[in-house]
Amino acid sequence: MEIEDLETFVEVADSGGITAAAKRLNVAKSIVSRRLFRLETELGVQLLARTTRGAALTEAGATFRDHAVRVRAEIETAREEVLPSGELRGRLRIAAPSSFGPSHFAPALAAFARRHPSLHIHTYYSDRYVDLVGEGFDCGIRVGYLADSNLLARQIGSFAVHLFASPRYISEHGAPETPDDVLAHEAIMQGRESWKFSDGNKIFPIHPHGRFKADSAIALAEAAAAGVGIAALPDVIAERDLASGELVRVMSGYSLPSVGIFVVRPPAQHLTRKVRVLIEFLIEKFRLDGSP
């Protein structure tokens, strides 16, 4: 049984089809089909049921997939163990947020690539929720208040958060001075969230409301700078507009919880050495104040 056949089968099973697996493996679809045929012939069972939408696991395929994942993880571990100390090889696929990624994570990942010249690093920047397993990522970098999920998460740092508004907005609507004042203002938000203000002794949870929402922190900052409303933003997102005078901090007597920076990975996935080393490197870069 060929190892590359096992690896190909796992990619097809996790991506849901031959086309997607071929793209992830960077090989022709005919090669993927040939490897699958060879594996099914070797086992004497059908692992995948071909459909118009891709491929679905048969009962035997679902059972074999779990074993194949463990075998692949053991082989990956064995490969890493015999490499020279400190040398990382292969491919590392990372999903990162576009709001923070290019400006704050890209320099760190570039430094990581310089440190490990034999490692191929492929980073996908997007603010949408990325299915790490289904899209074949080794890990993801996420920023925010991490929602409950089955992903394994390791916090590597945090970004401070404050409330901001434009001078134009303040001149037209005034600036909130207490948490209760926030309810009288247009809030710029990602969704239906609460802002938890603290004066050092007491927490004041507020459920703001507003007409402008976006899934990008940069878009929220742009709206705040345009005078649409007030926004709770990480300082690293607001710093450019703050320096130019397009945004100012409001309610300086109250603080908001910082947002965490996490590396997440699927729970069933073996913690490979390349992901472990990446986590250690990012902790080293972001552990102090969220700035690399």
Side-chain angles (χ1 to χ4, degrees), residues 158-238:
S158 62
F159 290 131
V161 177
H162 292 97
L163 202 62
F164 296 91
S166 71
R168 176 182 175 181
Y169 179 87
I170 293 173
S171 68
E172 294 177 353
H173 305 281
E177 297 182 0
T178 68
D180 286 339
D181 292 344
V182 171
L183 297 176
H185 288 266
E186 281 284 340
I188 300 170
M189 303 173 290
Q190 289 190 344
R192 295 177 60 85
E193 69 244 31
S194 65
W195 292 347
K196 297 178 180 179
F197 296 97
S198 172
D199 62 1
N201 299 308
K202 186 178 179 181
I203 302 297
F204 303 89
I206 297 297
H207 296 278
H209 56 83
R211 60 189 177 85
F212 189 96
K213 297 180 181 180
D215 63 355
S216 164
I218 292 176
L220 300 181
E222 290 290 342
V228 175
I230 57 176
L233 299 169
D235 289 357
V236 294
I237 294 295

Side-chain angles (χ1 to χ4, degrees), residues 125-148:
Y125 293 100
S126 174
D127 280 332
R128 70 174 179 82
Y129 180 85
V130 175
D131 181 356
L132 298 181
V133 175
E135 298 181 48
F137 287 98
D138 295 291
C139 63
I141 300 174
R142 292 185 178 168
V143 177
Y145 309 109
L146 204 62
D148 291 337

Side-chain angles (χ1 to χ4, degrees), residues 32-175:
V32 173
S33 297
R34 185 161 60 247
R35 290 175 181 174
L36 289 175
F37 177 77
R38 190 165 57 197
L39 182 60
E40 289 179 325
T41 301
E42 174 73 22
L43 294 171
V45 296
Q46 183 179 3
L47 300 174
L48 293 158
R50 280 65 169 178
T51 68
T52 55
R53 294 186 177 183
L57 288 170
T58 63
E59 183 177 352
T63 300
F64 187 73
R65 184 254 174 210
D66 293 338
H67 291 286
V69 168
R70 289 195 291 271
V71 170
R72 186 175 68 167
E74 288 297 328
I75 292 171
E76 182 72 18
T77 300
R79 285 171 175 166
E80 292 175 344
E81 290 295 330
V82 299
L83 291 174
S85 178
E87 185 176 8
L88 298 179
R89 292 182 179 272
R91 183 184 64 174
L92 179 60
R93 298 190 75 232
I94 306 167
S98 61
S99 291
F100 300 87
S103 57
H104 295 90
F105 298 129
L109 294 176
F112 187 71
R114 287 195 302 269
R115 184 175 294 187
H116 302 282
S118 297
L119 183 66
H120 294 258
I121 299 176
H122 298 175
T123 308
Y124 176 79
Y125 293 100
S126 174
D127 280 332
R128 70 174 179 82
Y129 180 85
V130 175
D131 181 356
L132 298 181
V133 175
E135 298 181 48
F137 287 98
D138 295 291
C139 63
I141 300 174
R142 292 185 178 168
V143 177
Y145 309 109
L146 204 62
D148 291 337
S149 72
N150 63 346
L151 297 175
L152 298 176
R154 176 69 184 275
Q155 186 165 356
I156 61 173
S158 62
F159 290 131
V161 177
H162 292 97
L163 202 62
F164 296 91
S166 71
R168 176 182 175 181
Y169 179 87
I170 293 173
S171 68
E172 294 177 353
H173 305 281

Side-chain angles (χ1 to χ4, degrees), residues 1-12 25 27 31-32 34-36 38-39 71-72 75 79:
M1 188 178 297
E2 299 290 337
I3 297 303
E4 64 181 10
D5 295 350
L6 279 178
E7 294 176 332
T8 299
F9 165 67
V10 172
E11 291 290 349
V12 174
L25 292 168
V27 298
I31 294 177
V32 173
R34 185 161 60 247
R35 290 175 181 174
L36 289 175
R38 190 165 57 197
L39 182 60
V71 170
R72 186 175 68 167
I75 292 171
R79 285 171 175 166

